[in-house]
Amino acid sequence: MKIVVIYGQGGKMGAAIIQALNSKWIQGKIMAGGTKSWATGAMLAAKPTAGATGENAVIVNCRHADYIIGPIGIIVADALHGEITPAMSAAIGQSRGKKILLPVNRCNTHVIGVQEQTLTEYIKLIPEQIQ
C-alpha cells in the first residue's frame, strides 16, 4: 500500500498526519510530498518511508497512490497561497487513490455540513479511514 501525504507551508500538518499513521502501525509506504523543501523537511522529521519536493514529485507519486492525504486545498489549483499548481491538483484529482481530505477552511474553499473539530481531532480520524 502506498500512502502519499501532501502538504506545503511549514509542513507541520503533514508531519502530524505522518506521526498519526506511524503511531497506528499502518502497513505500507508513506511518501511525504512537499510543495516546497521546507514542508518536505518538516514531514521527513516524522519518519515517512521517503520524501520528495515539488510539482513533479507530487504528480509522479499520485499516479500509483492507494491513499492521498492532505488539506482539501490540494485538489484546488492555486490553493495553499499558490503552492498547489493546476498540474498538481489535476494529478491528485485524477489519481485512482482514495483521497482523505482535511476540511481546512482557508484559501476561499469552505466545506459546509462538516462537524467542526480541531485539526488534531481530524488527524486522529485518518488512520481509521485506512484501517
Side-chain angles (χ1 to χ4, degrees):
M1 172 170 44
K2 182 177 182 180
I3 302 167
V4 179
V5 178
I6 301 172
Y7 200 69
Q9 307 291 294
K12 290 182 182 179
M13 180 192 303
I17 292 167
I18 293 166
Q19 288 172 340
L21 293 170
N22 285 334
S23 73
K24 296 293 183 179
W25 301 99
I26 299 296
Q27 297 298 311
K29 294 180 180 180
I30 301 173
M31 174 66 184
T35 60
K36 58 185 182 180
S37 59
W38 191 356
T40 306
M43 290 190 284
L44 286 172
K47 305 218 184 303
T49 308
T53 303
E55 180 182 74
N56 196 58
V58 169
I59 292 169
V60 169
N61 282 286
C62 286
R63 285 183 194 146
H64 303 290
D66 295 299
Y67 292 91
I68 300 172
I69 304 170
I72 193 161
I74 65 174
I75 61 169
V76 179
D78 299 330
L80 276 69
H81 303 288
E83 292 182 27
I84 300 297
T85 68
M88 290 167 131
S89 63
I92 294 163
Q94 292 171 346
S95 173
R96 292 180 184 231
K98 181 176 182 180
K99 287 82 170 169
I100 300 176
L101 305 171
L102 295 162
V104 179
N105 293 325
R106 296 184 188 150
C107 298
N108 294 326
T109 303
H110 297 271
V111 181
I112 61 171
V114 175
Q115 180 182 359
E116 287 292 323
Q117 295 187 35
T118 67
L119 189 53
T120 302
E121 291 169 327
Y122 282 130
I123 290 171
K124 287 179 183 176
L125 298 173
I126 291 171
E128 295 172 14
Q129 287 294 310
I130 295 174
Q131 290 176 328

